[in-house]
């Protein structure tokens, strides 16, 4: 079994937010009304986090970091789910089962990265967006929790394709939307257990670190520190 | 109302408690098998179920004890 | 023979069941209106989704969970206090226990519903039964609340059987109901003995169940990794808080019903004085826990913890925090430790303060942690919506309505226990007292000497 992971190089990242947009479109993430967004109900699976500000006004240099679900190897979210609507797959991806979720939001409260988003209500989406819906991803009803799944639907498609072609899944066959779209190639993705893969090497780089690693969640999304 | 009807109604209400105890037991057994299926922590499931099942059975038992001894000694008195 | 012919010395305790004043109906109508408004709010939320509340990200648990913890806390008034008083053979418990137990039953039913109200998909509640996972603290909670509810209803019901039998023997309304519920109780010595035995078993059982309920509620928070929640003393801290708010609620209820139903002869000032002392002790205990909790946080100075800490002490929640300190510590301690202010009105003020303060405490525990996540997100905001407040009001009025309904069916003060106290306790207590004294050896000897004196 592979163990999927991701490494984001902050030296390369330009905070262009292409990944944020690509993720939102790829996964049919609900677009909420302006009022709701103001009230903190905007929904993003991938989000640009401002970690700190360097320098003084007006010469501020914000340090940003794209943050999706860390796909923890020891996820605190699945421990508490009362109905197993969120679980860890054998390949390490932490997945959600939308029809199973009862919307108790315990997993949200226990994710140290505050990753999960909740469908507070279901709003009418703009017509153009509805036309753009990705048919491979279900549209979530109101009242359930959702989060980044490493675009697990792409894995299903890729492995079925590989099966039809009678071959093993090759390293580049399956990548999430954010990896594909990143214009500077800052995100590498693949099997962490395969020591020769690009992502595995990067995860062992001296610049590599995991967010809030000290909590013991063992995040499978790692970052390469930005060095001037 | 006849004494007999009263007695039957009382028995029915008492049986609710037993139904509760039995269904709680059944539910916990079910949950422990689910936990086994899902590879969850079994120690937690087992210890909770043992405690909970005992509590519900004792409660039902105490209530039945009250019911039957009240009725028994009621007849003696007459 | 109708009930008017019976002249019982405890007639005052029967009166509320048979006589209903006009203002009673007015209150019922008003409360029902409030309750229906809350039901309307919930129906709105059912169709619109949880968007009808003020919750957002990151404050994803708010009013409902606060109310849940609060109501379950109040429920500790009853059963726990009455069991402890019974166990310690405190004679002054006699007029108190029944009301305490009723509070538990009603409030537990209301509080237990709150997590369901909080669900995003209440239509899927059955998933908990089909596919529940016992490793989730929510399941522990479901179990312990059900157990507590069952245990405390039984514990309310069993000591009430002799009173129901009294009502049955009086004739009058609802004959059949009382006949069914009285379980053929006639007061024969053997029946009495069986009843007492059952009460003793229940009383011992109910205490650990009650403690476990609030410990587990605390663990819902304590088991997470969040700053401000992940604390080992949360279990006992919540239990102390629960007992604290429970006593206060009990005092309020007692004072109100004493006034309405003229129970002055039964609930005397001394009862309130004793309860006031109990409240004072628990107040200090609560303060000690709070102090220990926050001091360790402060001294450890972990950044994530400190953000939550400062948010409470000096940030957005500072007004609530200091109001809580005032209500839960300053106000009760000042009022209750002063002989001049430790009167019934004074104790009432202190109790109202404590109930308010304990609600704030739940708010302060739950929201600041969620509003200040570990990663540098903007600090969350939370303003409750009309829906949430409406449902809270409905919960409150359901509580009062439930209590009023109970008072029309059953006596609010245990009649047989009062009678028993009058007939046997004086003797029993003097025997017990002699046993404590030095120079007395055999129990039978004491009994004989007491008898000789009486
Ligand atoms: S980042 Fe949060 S949501 Fe993702 S796996 Fe870890 S605990 Fe779960
Ligand atoms: S919100 Fe859904 S996924 Fe999260 S813990 Fe509750 S049931 Fe599980």
């Amino acid at each position: 079994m592979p163990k999927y992971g991701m490494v984001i190089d902050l030296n390369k990242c330009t905070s262009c937010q292409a990944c944020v947009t690509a993720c939102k479109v790829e996964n049919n993430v609900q677009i909420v009304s302006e009022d709701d967004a103001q009230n903190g109900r905007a929904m993003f699976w991938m989000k640009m986090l401002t970690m700190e500000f360097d320098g003084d006004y007006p010469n501020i240099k914000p340090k940003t970091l794209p943050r999706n679900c860390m796909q923890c190897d020891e996820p605190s979210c699945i421990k508490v789910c009362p109905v197993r609507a969120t679980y860890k797959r054998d390949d390490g991806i932490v997945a959600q089962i939308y029809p199973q979720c009862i919307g108790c939001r315990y997993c949200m409260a226990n994710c140290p990265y505050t990753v999960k988003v909740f469908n507070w209500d279901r709003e009418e989406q703009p017509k153009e967006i509805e036309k753009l819906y990705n048919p491979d991803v279900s549209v979530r009803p109101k009242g359930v929790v959702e989060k980044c799944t490493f675009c697990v639907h792409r894995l299903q498609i890729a492995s079925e394709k590989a099966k039809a072609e009678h071959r093993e899944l090759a390293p580049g066959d399956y990548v999430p939307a954010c990896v594909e779209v990143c214009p500077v190639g800052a995100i590498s993705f693949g099997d962490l257990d395969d020591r020769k893969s690009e992502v595995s090497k990067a995860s062992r780089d001296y610049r590599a670190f995991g967010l809030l690693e000290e909590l013991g969640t063992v995040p499978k999304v790692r970052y390469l520190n930005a060095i001037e | 109302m006849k004494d007999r009807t009263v007695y039957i109604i009382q028995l029915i209400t008492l049986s609710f408690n037993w139904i509760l105890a039995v269904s709680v037991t059944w539910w916990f057994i079910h949950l422990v098998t689910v936990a086994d299926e899902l590879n969850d922590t079994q120690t937690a499931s087992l210890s909770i179920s043992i405690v909970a099942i005992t509590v519900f059975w004792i409660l039902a038992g105490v209530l039945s004890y009250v019911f039957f001894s009240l009725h028994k000694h009621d007849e003696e008195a007459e | 023979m109708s009930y008017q012919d019976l002249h019982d010395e405890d007639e005052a305790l029967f009166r509320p069941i048979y006589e209903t004043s006009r203002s009673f109906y007015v209150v019922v109508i008003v409360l029902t209106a409030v309750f229906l408004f809350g039901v309307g709010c919930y129906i709105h939320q059912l169709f619109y989704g949880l968007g009808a509340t003020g919750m957002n990200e990151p404050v994803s648990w708010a009013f409902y969970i606060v109310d849940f913890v609060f109501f379950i806390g109040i429920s500790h008034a009853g059963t726990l206090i009455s069991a402890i008083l019974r166990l310690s053979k405190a004679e002054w418990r006699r007029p108190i226990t029944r009301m305490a137990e009723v509070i538990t039953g009603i409030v537990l039913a209301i509080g237990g519903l709150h997590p369901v109200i909080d669900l995003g998909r209440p239509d899927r509640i059955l998933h908990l039964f089909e596919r529940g996972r016992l490793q989730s603290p929510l399941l522990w909670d479901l179990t312990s609340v059900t157990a507590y509810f069952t245990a405390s209803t039984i514990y309310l019901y069993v000591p009430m059987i002799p009173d129901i039998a009294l009502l049955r023997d009086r004739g009058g309304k609802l004959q059949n109901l009382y006949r069914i519920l009285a379980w053929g109780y006639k007061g024969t010595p053997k029946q009495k003995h069986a009843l007492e035995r059952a009460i003793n078993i229940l009383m011992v059982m109910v205490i650990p169940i009650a403690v476990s309920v609030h410990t587990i509620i605390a663990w819902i928070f304590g088991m997470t990794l969040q700053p401000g929640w992940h604390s080992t003393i949360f279990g006992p801290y919540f239990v102390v808080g629960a007992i604290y708010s429970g006593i206060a609620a009990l005092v309020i209820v007692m004072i109100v019903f004493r006034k309405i139903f003229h129970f002055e002869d039964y609930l005397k000032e001394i009862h309130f004085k004793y309860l006031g002392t109990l409240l004072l002790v628990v107040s200090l205990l609560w303060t000690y826990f709070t102090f220990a909790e926050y001091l360790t946080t402060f001294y450890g100075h972990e950044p994530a913890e400190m953000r939550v800490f400062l948010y409470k002490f000096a940030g957005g929640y500072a007004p609530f925090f200091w109001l809580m300190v005032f209500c839960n510590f300053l106000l009760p301690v000042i009022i209750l430790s002063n002989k001049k202010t430790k009167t019934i009105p004074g104790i009432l003020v202190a109790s109202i303060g404590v109930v308010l303060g304990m609600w704030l405490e739940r708010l302060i525990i739950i929201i600041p942690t969620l509003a200040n996540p570990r990663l540098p997100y903007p600090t969350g905001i939370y303003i409750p919506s009309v829906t949430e407040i409406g449902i809270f009001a409905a919960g409150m009025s359901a509580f009062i309505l439930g209590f009023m309904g109970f008072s029309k069916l059953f006596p609010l003060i245990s009649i047989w226990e009062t009678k028993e106290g009058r007939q046997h306790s004086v003797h029993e207590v003097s025997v017990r007292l002699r046993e404590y004294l030095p120079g007395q050896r055999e129990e039978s000897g004491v009994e004989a000497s007491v008898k000789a004196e009486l």
Side-chain angles (χ1 to χ4, degrees):
Chain A
M1 254 305 146
K3 189 162 125 190
Y4 291 108
M6 184 183 266
V7 175
I8 303 177
D9 189 342
L10 299 179
N11 246 356
K12 289 187 189 158
C13 175
T14 59
S15 315
C16 70
Q17 311 223 26
C19 51
V20 175
T21 323
C23 171
K24 193 139 184 165
V25 177
E26 172 80 17
N27 290 297
N28 304 336
V29 181
Q30 193 188 171
I31 295 172
V32 303
S33 71
E34 214 179 307
D35 267 359
D36 271 4
Q38 289 278 326
N39 289 330
R41 288 179 182 170
M43 298 177 77
F44 292 103
W45 287 10
M46 175 63 112
K47 200 169 184 170
M48 199 56 77
L49 258 191
T50 311
M51 296 305 278
E52 53 186 289
F53 294 99
D54 266 0
D56 289 321
Y57 183 81
N59 300 315
I60 299 180
K61 252 177 98 186
K63 270 197 180 164
T64 59
L65 171 149
R67 182 241 68 199
N68 51 345
C69 169
M70 297 293 128
Q71 305 288 351
C72 310
D73 221 26
E74 295 285 340
S76 36
C77 58
I78 69 165
K79 260 196 289 203
V80 296
C81 178
V83 292
R84 193 177 179 264
T86 173
Y87 73 108
K88 203 175 101 187
R89 293 161 44 113
D90 288 342
D91 53 15
I93 296 175
V94 178
Q96 291 281 137
I97 311 173
Y98 306 120
Q100 177 73 4
C101 175
I102 58 171
C104 65
R105 308 192 297 296
Y106 200 176
C107 54
M108 286 176 86
N110 199 19
C111 169
Y113 306 94
T114 328
V115 156
K116 299 209 164 186
V117 285
F118 186 70
N119 288 279
W120 295 102
D121 42 43
R122 188 74 217 166
E123 276 162 28
E124 198 67 20
Q125 301 291 294
K127 277 273 156 324
E128 309 78 54
I129 294 290
E130 259 171 30
K131 269 185 228 146
L132 281 178
Y133 270 164
N134 182 352
D136 297 331
V137 180
S138 60
V139 175
R140 275 78 57 191
K142 69 165 192 265
V144 302
V145 160
E146 57 183 62
K147 68 166 189 71
C148 155
T149 60
F150 266 175
C151 292
V152 74
H153 55 283
R154 289 185 171 216
L155 172 60
Q156 271 154 15
I157 295 171
S159 47
E160 257 154 48
K161 199 167 157 216
K163 212 166 155 196
E165 290 167 5
H166 302 291
R167 59 179 175 85
E168 290 284 298
L169 202 62
D173 279 356
Y174 155 51
V175 286
C178 50
V179 181
E180 193 181 341
V181 81
C182 180
V184 289
I187 314 180
S188 47
F189 182 84
D191 184 2
L192 283 175
D193 277 354
D194 175 6
R195 289 183 73 81
K196 277 178 287 194
S197 69
E198 186 199 346
V199 61
S200 171
K201 275 185 204 145
S203 75
R204 279 174 279 127
D205 193 282
Y206 72 98
R207 290 191 290 142
F209 72 97
L211 270 184
L212 303 179
E213 245 173 331
E214 66 277 11
L215 296 179
T217 46
V218 198
K220 287 200 291 287
V221 174
R222 296 175 67 80
Y223 295 87
L224 296 183
N225 218 338
I227 287 174
E228 305 281 310
Chain B
M1 241 194 285
K2 276 205 210 92
D3 274 356
R4 183 124 201 100
T5 342
V6 169
Y7 189 69
I8 288 170
I9 295 177
Q10 285 167 346
L11 269 188
I12 292 172
T13 42
L14 182 68
S15 68
F16 282 144
N17 212 307
W18 283 106
I19 293 173
L20 180 70
V22 171
S23 42
V24 165
T25 313
W26 181 77
W27 181 51
F28 270 107
I29 293 171
H30 171 69
L31 289 191
V32 170
T33 53
V34 168
D36 189 43
E37 239 174 82
L38 303 178
N39 281 328
D40 283 350
T41 328
Q42 276 297 0
T43 39
S45 326
L46 281 177
S47 39
I48 295 166
S49 357
I50 290 169
V51 175
I53 290 172
T54 338
V55 165
F56 280 99
W57 281 81
I58 294 182
L59 286 176
V62 169
L63 205 61
S64 313
Y65 164 73
V66 174
F67 180 75
F68 289 111
S69 49
L70 287 193
H71 274 282
K72 199 172 111 211
H73 299 306
D74 168 36
E75 278 155 24
E76 265 171 28
E78 277 164 23
Chain C
M1 187 161 64
S2 84
Y3 77 91
Q4 279 99 344
D5 305 334
L6 286 162
H7 274 292
D8 200 295
E9 50 187 337
D10 292 317
E11 198 55 44
L13 301 182
F14 288 108
R15 203 166 295 129
I17 302 175
Y18 300 103
E19 287 165 22
T20 309
S21 67
R22 161 124 14 108
S23 49
F24 185 89
Y25 290 112
V26 175
V27 175
V28 168
I29 289 170
V30 172
L31 289 177
T32 314
V34 176
F35 180 71
L36 289 179
F37 174 71
V39 173
C41 287
Y42 182 62
I43 293 173
H44 167 67
Q45 174 186 313
L46 217 50
F47 284 104
Y48 186 72
L50 279 177
T53 67
M55 287 186 269
N56 55 38
E57 243 137 87
V59 187
S60 51
W61 274 351
F63 231 68
Y64 298 144
I65 299 291
V66 174
D67 292 346
F68 166 61
V69 183
F70 172 72
F71 277 128
I72 304 278
I74 297 270
S75 81
H76 276 54
T79 307
L80 193 59
I81 294 167
S82 105
I84 290 175
L85 291 184
R86 272 215 179 102
L87 200 61
S88 59
K89 297 213 176 99
E91 280 300 325
W92 55 278
R93 67 160 198 273
R94 291 183 190 274
I96 298 174
T97 47
R98 174 75 45 80
M99 283 196 207
E101 289 152 17
V102 180
I103 295 185
T104 304
I106 300 174
V107 164
L108 210 52
I110 298 168
L113 271 182
H114 272 79
V116 180
I117 296 174
D118 186 61
L119 288 187
R121 304 288 311 199
D123 50 323
R124 293 180 182 165
I125 183 98
L126 280 182
H127 289 193
L128 275 177
F129 296 95
E130 286 161 25
R131 224 56 193 143
R133 292 166 81 221
L134 277 178
Q135 63 165 254
S136 165
L138 280 189
L139 261 276
W140 310 350
D141 204 47
L142 183 67
T143 317
S144 63
V145 170
T146 323
Y148 189 38
F149 185 69
T150 321
S152 53
T153 352
I154 295 179
Y155 184 61
L156 166 68
Y157 174 65
V158 170
M160 209 161 68
I161 292 178
D163 280 1
I164 299 176
L166 283 178
L167 288 170
R168 176 199 59 195
D169 296 343
R170 299 189 130 219
K173 66 172 189 182
L174 296 175
Q175 261 300 295
N176 285 331
L177 178 73
Y178 293 136
R179 244 177 93 201
I180 292 169
L181 288 180
W183 278 7
Y185 186 82
K186 296 243 167 64
T188 63
K190 276 192 176 154
Q191 284 184 329
K192 245 192 188 146
H193 181 70
L195 206 68
E196 255 156 33
R197 210 181 196 173
I199 293 176
N200 284 343
I201 300 175
L202 286 172
M203 164 172 98
V204 176
M205 263 185 89
V206 143
I207 295 175
I209 297 180
V211 170
S212 80
V213 170
H214 228 75
T215 310
I216 287 172
I217 289 180
W219 283 347
I220 290 188
F221 307 102
M223 293 290 170
T224 66
L225 280 176
Q226 304 301 11
W229 284 358
H230 191 53
S231 155
T232 48
I233 70 163
F234 252 40
Y237 184 29
F238 270 49
V239 173
V240 167
I243 298 174
Y244 191 26
S245 61
I247 300 176
L250 175 63
V251 169
I252 296 175
V253 167
M254 277 168 59
I255 293 179
V256 169
F257 282 95
R258 173 182 193 255
K259 185 107 194 108
I260 298 177
F261 293 140
H262 309 289
F263 287 158
E264 280 87 354
D265 200 25
Y266 293 89
L267 299 170
K268 298 192 175 159
E269 189 149 358
I270 185 92
H271 293 111
F272 294 99
K273 287 236 156 95
Y274 282 168
L275 280 176
T277 313
L278 205 58
L279 199 63
L280 179 64
V281 171
V282 185
S283 162
L284 294 174
L285 197 60
W286 177 88
T287 313
Y288 161 70
F289 267 99
T290 311
F291 181 70
E293 166 79 9
Y294 288 111
L295 183 69
T296 42
T297 309
F298 178 71
Y299 203 90
H301 225 80
E302 215 214 302
E305 298 267 1
M306 277 317 281
R307 228 172 314 126
V308 178
F309 181 88
L310 288 177
Y311 190 68
K312 293 179 189 178
F313 274 69
Y317 265 59
F320 299 127
F321 183 85
W322 295 111
L323 184 62
M324 170 192 85
V325 172
F326 174 74
C327 286
N328 274 356
F329 175 56
L330 293 178
L331 187 72
V333 168
I334 291 172
I335 291 184
L336 297 175
S337 57
N338 194 335
K339 256 220 172 90
K340 272 207 199 97
T341 45
K342 202 176 161 188
T343 54
I344 292 183
I347 296 174
L348 181 65
V349 171
S351 302
I352 294 175
V354 170
V355 169
L356 179 69
M358 281 313 294
W359 188 85
L360 286 172
E361 195 228 354
R362 310 313 193 187
L363 185 81
I364 281 160
I365 283 179
I366 292 168
I367 293 178
T369 290
L370 288 168
N372 292 281
R374 281 181 192 270
L375 291 180
Y377 295 93
T379 308
I381 36 156
Y382 170 70
I383 298 157
S385 72
V386 179
T387 313
E388 286 165 293
I389 295 172
I391 291 180
F392 180 59
M396 282 306 215
S397 42
F399 169 61
I400 305 172
L401 278 175
F403 226 101
M404 292 168 84
F406 185 90
S407 74
K408 290 293 138 198
L409 287 176
F410 305 108
L412 274 180
I413 291 180
S414 179
I415 297 172
W416 72 276
E417 279 184 280
T418 312
K419 287 193 194 306
E420 187 194 63
R422 203 177 282 132
Q423 286 157 7
H424 303 295
S425 293
V426 180
H427 170 66
E428 228 178 79
V429 171
S430 32
V431 172
R432 203 182 333 137
L433 211 82
R434 301 269 168 124
E435 278 169 31
Y436 304 151
L437 296 176
Q440 304 274 356
R441 271 200 218 110
E442 298 223 353
E443 222 177 276
S444 52
V446 181
E447 199 130 346
S449 71
V450 172
K451 263 203 192 112
E453 264 175 49
L454 289 174

